[in-house]
Amino acid sequence: MCGIIGVTQTIDNSTGKIVFDALTRLEYRGYDSVGVAIINPTGELQIEKDKGPILEVGKKLEFEKLKGRTAIGHSRWATHGPPNKINAHPHISQNRRVAVVHNGIIENFLELKKDLISLGYAFKSDTDTEVIPQLIEYYLDQGKSIVEAIRTFTDTIKGTFAIVLVTVDEPEKIYAFRRDNPLVLGIGKNENYCASDIPAFLPYTNQVLILKDNELAILEPKNYKILNLTTGSEIKRTPKTITWTAEAAQKAGYPHFMLKEIHQQPQVLKTQLSTQMEVVEEIADVVLAADKVFSVAAGTAYYASLTLFHTIPSLTKKVVIPVISAEWDTVSSLVDDKSVVFAVSQSGETLDTIKGIKDAKSKGAKIISVVNVIDSSLTRYGDHVLYIHTGPEIGVAATKTYTGLALALWRIAYAVAEKREDIDSTYLSKFDKSLHALPEAIEHVIRKYEVKAKEISKWMTQKQSAFYLGRGVSFATACEGALKMKEIAYVHAEAYPAGESKHGPIALIEKDFPVIFTIPNDKNRKKMMGSVQEMKARGARTIGVIEEGDEEFQGVLDEYFEIPKGFSQFLSSILYQIPQQLLAYYTSTLKGFDPDKPRNLSKSVTVE
Ligand code: F6R
């Protein structure tokens, strides 16, 4: 999740300082390198950038002393190419006419880069971003205006972007345009701003305009206008006054980071889906060549890792052994040089997981690290590294990193299935369709059920205990649902495989005992009916996450959340989790707790 700032103003001695301050306020989005491009008083583009912490790089390169009226800045969270000075933004065109900063992924950058190289353009970085200034300069050289160049460019590229561009041809203008990645405008008196998020410019102006998809903003110090990128026609929109404090602005108006992160899931999962196809393919080959497959993970990451256990055996007939990191010693002697071991971890720093992985590596196993934090310890042990690209997660309880890790593993399962010649093509196309429909389906579930989740949570605040039941992959979903409820609402929530619950736990059921069921329309659905009836007969209050239109369960459950069709066989561990995240969040906040900072927990567990 890169951070972007752009400013254009009538004076030139404070621009560097404004950009530097704005970048430090975007620090919470995560970064590995940072840079600024300014059109200096002689009308040239000056670029200053490097790898490292924002404060350190900004001081070293004296961002505050940069002179000029128009500047753009960027804090990078690497996707294409390692974090280093060359890959840091801004990127500049061959003849230094155009500079850009970018958040998002240009999916067809390799083709575009090849075409531009054949036209004589030289590239310096490994990034997808560098094609942007080069292609725009190419269009300008062909006589297009800058607006025409941008419109042709957005027609040509595939992928997601928030792009902010400056050109020496028009030194007092900033061009900002987006598709699927955020951009907001800050409107001042003698200065205008654009940024990935409001906190960047909040100390200077509270007049804010949200740029929408497929819109282009043209900023000058005293004017601004917004155009529709497809039609070129002007859009009139008036700024809104923001009354948030800086801290509230970092939460984008949400009361807690956790709720913001729940709502971010559609966007970050969409980003992940457009990255690292080749890494996913390589990993699928490694899995197919392995004798034994293990996964090692803790907590939420362990529940996400169970995706492998529920997909790979049926696709490959290989045994998958999911191991809780702290229990690694139990399986250690089974690992050899024909084994593949998945390290699944959002932080990449969980000590128990690192210990298991070090041991597996010493036995010659191939290591596949699936992580969120770039360059974290587990990436260094990985023969292959798949990033989940969810951006930093500030809420201590994992939400978007759970769905991000699970999605990465579902993607690997899909790639494995695709490589098998004996897999039915209808199965594959349904799987593929579910993957691409997932972000929108999550958005739909949040929109439809946030109020209902809050309602049910009011009742949950009175409860000391709850059961979470599921079968097969839904048992993993139930475990994660119960963990969230324990962690932030301090309810004693226990997950059981639904079939096992009658072997003891059912003794606890009394009138109004909460039981939360995960019931996709999969091969276990029928058996789940038996479990619901067993609990109901003993007075439990039954709450189910079911497939849309499942009338049989609607008639039996006390409360239900309906999940769009098409996800029962694929990705249910992600989509059926969303109402459970909301339930935990609202139970916690209605009890007066801070879900971002649950007691006794920390974001990264670096002790054994
Ligand atoms: C739960 C949670 C923890 C972590 C666990 C592993 O919300 O965040 O259970 O999942 O500590 O952490 P990572 O994924 O960093 O290895």
Side-chain angles (χ1 to χ4, degrees):
M1 286 217 310
C2 305
I4 287 180
I5 173 71
V7 56
T8 179
Q9 58 169 355
T10 48
I11 50 170
D12 63 15
N13 56 4
S14 60
T15 310
K17 179 169 173 16
I18 290 173
V19 171
F20 187 25
D21 286 352
L23 288 169
T24 59
R25 278 190 298 275
L26 291 174
E27 199 170 17
Y28 67 93
R29 292 176 67 86
Y31 60 87
D32 48 58
S33 40
V34 59
V36 175
I38 192 162
I39 301 184
N40 66 23
T42 56
E44 284 161 357
L45 265 170
Q46 183 179 348
I47 310 270
E48 301 292 345
K49 59 183 186 176
D50 210 345
K51 177 184 169 173
I54 296 174
L55 268 181
E56 199 178 298
V57 174
K59 281 198 179 134
K60 182 180 74 183
L61 301 177
E62 300 190 314
F63 286 172
E64 287 189 350
K65 293 193 179 157
L66 292 172
K67 288 233 170 349
R69 296 182 179 179
T70 305
I72 55 179
H74 188 268
S75 53
R76 177 172 187 245
W77 171 272
T79 56
H80 293 69
N84 60 32
K85 180 172 176 162
I86 291 174
N87 289 335
H89 296 212
H91 288 280
I92 190 163
S93 61
Q94 177 136 300
N95 297 313
R96 303 186 70 82
R97 214 171 151 185
V98 175
V100 304
V101 290
H102 166 222
N103 175 23
I105 310 267
I106 308 296
E107 285 168 37
N108 56 340
F109 84 100
L110 282 174
E111 289 154 59
L112 296 170
K113 190 167 173 176
K114 217 164 110 200
D115 293 347
L116 285 162
I117 289 172
S118 70
L119 290 165
Y121 283 78
F123 282 78
K124 296 188 181 116
S125 76
D126 311 309
T127 63
D128 53 337
T129 302
E130 201 181 354
V131 299
I132 305 170
Q134 302 278 43
L135 198 53
I136 299 275
E137 182 173 284
Y138 168 73
Y139 293 139
L140 292 177
D141 287 348
Q142 294 204 317
K144 287 189 194 294
S145 70
I146 182 77
V147 172
E148 285 164 353
I150 289 172
R151 290 180 62 199
T152 315
F153 167 82
T154 50
D155 273 352
T156 313
I157 57 158
K158 294 197 183 93
T160 61
F161 55 81
I163 296 171
V164 177
L165 176 154
V166 287
T167 165
V168 291
D169 299 358
E170 300 180 70
E172 296 208 336
K173 282 190 185 161
I174 287 182
Y175 291 85
F177 46 106
R178 60 162 279 187
R179 182 192 294 160
D180 287 330
N181 284 98
L183 265 183
V184 288
L185 310 180
I187 308 303
K189 271 210 179 89
N190 294 311
E191 67 286 320
N192 284 314
Y193 310 85
C194 59
S196 6
D197 212 349
I198 296 167
F201 52 66
L202 196 60
Y204 310 111
T205 179
N206 63 356
Q207 298 302 300
V208 173
L209 269 169
I210 309 288
L211 201 65
K212 296 187 182 163
D213 272 350
N214 205 34
E215 289 180 348
L216 162 67
I218 305 171
L219 306 178
E220 293 178 76
K222 287 171 178 278
N223 300 304
Y224 67 90
K225 72 176 168 190
I226 301 173
L227 304 181
N228 177 304
L229 273 170
T230 315
T231 61
S233 55
E234 192 171 343
I235 296 165
K236 292 279 177 206
R237 195 175 299 141
T238 39
K240 285 200 170 70
T241 306
I242 293 286
T243 50
W244 303 336
T245 61
E247 211 224 2
Q250 285 198 346
K251 294 176 187 158
Y254 292 102
H256 298 99
F257 283 107
M258 182 176 176
L259 192 60
K260 178 182 173 194
E261 285 155 5
I262 289 173
H263 280 261
Q264 274 180 330
Q265 290 175 113
Q267 196 213 322
V268 295
L269 298 190
K270 192 165 179 180
T271 301
Q272 189 199 136
L273 279 167
S274 62
T275 65
Q276 310 162 97
M277 316 287 188
E278 57 309 332
V279 182
V280 173
E281 296 280 323
E282 279 164 26
I283 294 172
D285 287 331
V286 175
V287 170
L288 284 165
D291 270 5
K292 286 176 252 174
V293 180
F294 297 82
S295 62
V296 52
T300 287
Y302 172 74
Y303 301 135
S305 78
L306 293 175
T307 307
L308 292 168
F309 177 61
H310 289 286
T311 53
I312 303 301
S314 61
L315 292 168
T316 62
K317 306 278 176 280
K318 280 183 216 292
V319 173
V320 173
I321 306 178
V323 187
I324 289 177
S325 311
E327 296 291 317
W328 177 256
D329 288 351
T330 316
V331 301
S332 167
S333 62
L334 302 176
V335 178
D336 58 25
D337 59 359
K338 295 193 182 60
S339 305
V340 168
V341 183
F342 279 83
V344 182
S345 167
Q346 70 80 23
S347 66
E349 301 294 350
T350 301
L351 189 60
D352 286 330
T353 308
I354 293 176
K355 290 224 156 175
I357 286 300
K358 272 183 162 171
D359 176 61
K361 205 165 173 75
S362 74
K363 299 191 158 109
K366 282 230 158 20
I367 308 297
I368 295 170
S369 300
V370 181
V371 295
N372 190 34
V373 178
I374 311 274
D375 272 352
S376 51
S377 300
L378 282 170
T379 66
R380 294 195 282 280
Y381 297 109
D383 296 293
H384 300 269
V385 179
L386 181 60
Y387 285 112
I388 63 169
H389 287 317
T390 53
E393 188 174 60
I394 296 169
V396 165
T399 51
K400 63 176 180 173
T401 56
Y402 164 75
T403 52
L405 290 169
L407 177 62
L409 300 173
W410 279 103
R411 288 175 74 199
I412 292 168
Y414 175 73
V416 167
E418 233 190 346
K419 286 177 190 285
R420 299 281 311 209
E421 277 163 14
D422 50 345
I423 302 279
D424 180 36
S425 63
T426 325
Y427 172 94
L428 277 179
S429 82
K430 278 191 187 159
F431 200 157
D432 190 39
K433 229 169 117 191
S434 308
L435 278 167
H436 289 96
L438 180 72
E440 209 176 305
I442 296 179
E443 208 167 313
H444 168 85
V445 172
I446 296 175
R447 221 182 12 247
K448 186 166 174 192
Y449 285 123
E450 191 152 5
V451 172
K452 182 163 185 172
K454 196 169 176 181
E455 275 305 306
I456 299 176
S457 299
K458 277 186 197 148
W459 172 79
M460 272 302 293
T461 57
Q462 310 304 315
K463 300 290 156 187
Q464 309 280 314
S465 311
F467 280 145
Y468 279 68
L469 304 183
R471 271 180 187 261
V473 70
S474 297
F475 170 54
T477 319
C479 289
E480 173 58 11
L483 183 65
K484 288 294 90 89
M485 188 59 91
K486 276 197 268 266
E487 283 182 305
I488 59 169
Y490 314 133
V491 173
H492 181 216
E494 287 292 337
Y496 278 94
E500 175 71 2
S501 62
K502 58 185 174 293
H503 298 283
I506 200 165
L508 291 177
I509 302 295
E510 55 188 11
K511 188 165 161 34
D512 274 348
F513 189 102
V515 186
I516 291 97
F517 294 88
T518 304
I519 319 173
N521 185 11
D522 61 12
K523 61 179 192 274
N524 297 307
R525 179 185 165 280
K526 274 210 154 18
K527 289 186 177 163
M528 289 300 292
M529 181 54 90
S531 308
V532 175
Q533 297 287 15
E534 277 161 21
M535 294 295 161
K536 223 179 138 65
R538 285 154 184 87
R541 186 167 171 82
T542 55
I543 300 162
V545 189
I546 61 173
E547 191 183 67
E548 205 164 71
D550 191 333
E551 289 177 6
E552 224 181 317
F553 276 102
Q554 287 173 4
V556 181
L557 292 161
D558 295 303
E559 301 283 357
Y560 54 83
F561 299 93
E562 288 179 281
I563 300 299
K565 287 185 196 294
F567 297 94
S568 280
Q569 197 177 357
F570 309 107
L571 307 163
S572 64
S573 57
I574 297 175
L575 207 46
Y576 284 66
Q577 186 57 229
I578 306 297
Q580 306 188 38
Q581 292 175 343
L582 291 169
L583 218 50
Y585 170 79
Y586 281 109
T587 307
S588 164
T589 52
L590 288 168
K591 284 171 93 169
F593 300 129
D594 178 356
D596 286 343
K597 297 189 189 102
R599 67 188 182 209
N600 308 337
L601 298 179
S602 80
K603 191 72 195 152
S604 167
V605 184
T606 52
V607 290
E608 258 186 293

